[in-house]
Amino acid sequence: MAEFAVSPRNQVKRVPARASYDQATIYQIIDQALVCHVGFVQDGLPSVIPANHARLDDVLLLHGAQASRLMQHVGAGHEVCVAITLVDGLVLARSVAHHSLNFRSVVLFGRGAIVDEEQEKLRALKVLTEHILPGRWDEVREPSQSELKATAVVSIPIDSASAKVRCGPPADDEEDYQLPIWAGVLPLQQGALEPVDEPGLSAGIPVPDSVLNYNR
Ligand SMILES: Cc1cc2nc3c(=O)[nH]c(=O)nc-3n(C[C@H](O)[C@H](O)[C@H](O)COP(=O)(O)OP(=O)(O)OC[C@H]3O[C@@H](n4cnc5c(N)ncnc54)[C@H](O)[C@@H]3O)c2cc1C
């Protein structure tokens, strides 16, 4: 599938010129983001909960404690809406009204399911770990049986999705371009700082390449 089908649910109505339904664009945003926000309705009340995520083919994976309300609700097969956002810059116009952000965002819809089979669950946990830091899974101890039991993994097949992307300079009103006010974009990016050793780290253990080479 090269494009997600456009339906009343996922069709971007507000500023549709910024919309994309291109699967590659959508998956790139999902894969670059560390955090998603999962929206769901329980007992008639809406909740939005932030979480780590990872994508495995056309499925979004989440994990958490077995006791987590989020895991239980999504795992029970309910419909969810997930928002994923990357902020690329501050858009600074001459007028207050035209200030904005440059961004790439995704809104996706799907119905969750629990991932229970042991090998599938391990694979999902590996994908989730590697999403945070590629190479980490092979550097660390794998989960024990009791850790696996205490961890819930849920999958959300991405049934429908859209991206919205704003890029470029601010757009001021014609008469404002003559004002003596600086306008432009302050680009932002997520970057890693120096790694910090855990206080109990044994002497002589170097920072692994996965950490040294981290780049998102
Ligand atoms: C970092 C960031 C900051 C923003 N700040 C503001 C703000 O301050 N005020 C404001 O009004 N809007 C803001 N937006 C835009 C906002 O996300 C919505 O697109 C906009 O408010 C229109 O909402 P709506 O429900 O009327 O959209 P509609 O176009 O009616 O939404 C219909 C469908 O389009 C899709 N869709 C809508 N928005 C997005 C999106 N952002 N990404 C992917 N798919 C989408 C969804 O599937 C949605 O169900 C911001 C977006 C981002 C990413």
Side-chain angles (χ1 to χ4, degrees), residues 49-102:
I49 301 292
N52 277 141
H53 68 274
R55 183 180 63 83
L56 180 59
D57 300 326
D58 299 327
V59 169
L60 196 78
L61 297 167
L62 309 175
H63 78 305
Q66 291 283 8
S68 147
R69 178 187 64 141
L70 173 67
M71 289 299 114
Q72 290 183 0
H73 185 80
V74 179
H78 296 290
E79 284 275 351
V80 295
C81 175
V82 182
I84 295 175
T85 310
L86 301 168
V87 176
D88 294 327
L90 309 184
V91 178
L92 305 166
R94 293 167 184 81
S95 65
V96 166
H98 288 295
H99 279 67
S100 188
L101 295 174
N102 278 339

Side-chain angles (χ1 to χ4, degrees), residues 6-186:
V6 180
S7 70
R9 198 176 197 195
N10 73 336
Q11 184 170 20
V12 175
K13 286 136 208 138
R14 181 91 196 105
V15 200
R18 293 185 184 153
S20 171
Y21 306 93
D22 174 54
Q23 192 188 55
T25 303
I26 288 169
Y27 283 1
Q28 203 178 28
I29 295 168
I30 294 173
D31 293 348
Q32 193 176 334
L34 271 176
V35 174
C36 70
H37 288 82
V38 186
F40 56 93
V41 176
Q42 193 178 36
D43 300 330
L45 293 175
S47 292
V48 177
I49 301 292
N52 277 141
H53 68 274
R55 183 180 63 83
L56 180 59
D57 300 326
D58 299 327
V59 169
L60 196 78
L61 297 167
L62 309 175
H63 78 305
Q66 291 283 8
S68 147
R69 178 187 64 141
L70 173 67
M71 289 299 114
Q72 290 183 0
H73 185 80
V74 179
H78 296 290
E79 284 275 351
V80 295
C81 175
V82 182
I84 295 175
T85 310
L86 301 168
V87 176
D88 294 327
L90 309 184
V91 178
L92 305 166
R94 293 167 184 81
S95 65
V96 166
H98 288 295
H99 279 67
S100 188
L101 295 174
N102 278 339
F103 61 78
R104 287 165 289 152
S105 60
V106 164
V107 173
L108 65 89
F109 302 94
R111 186 180 285 278
I114 198 87
V115 178
D116 237 356
E117 197 276 319
E118 187 172 317
Q119 287 312 310
E120 252 187 82
K121 198 168 169 180
L122 268 174
R123 183 169 180 228
L125 290 170
K126 180 174 180 179
V127 171
L128 282 153
T129 306
E130 293 283 304
H131 178 75
I132 293 172
L133 181 66
R136 192 61 177 159
W137 185 264
D138 288 334
E139 294 170 351
V140 295
R141 175 179 69 71
E142 288 193 14
S144 64
Q145 280 300 323
S146 60
E147 286 168 338
L148 261 186
K149 218 171 151 193
T151 305
V153 175
V154 296
S155 64
I156 304 167
I158 304 171
D159 293 335
S160 173
S162 57
K164 198 167 173 180
V165 177
R166 192 211 185 278
C167 55
D172 269 306
D173 293 336
E174 205 49 52
E175 60 274 20
D176 288 343
Y177 279 89
Q178 303 313 317
L179 292 173
I181 299 169
W182 186 86
V185 171
L186 182 60

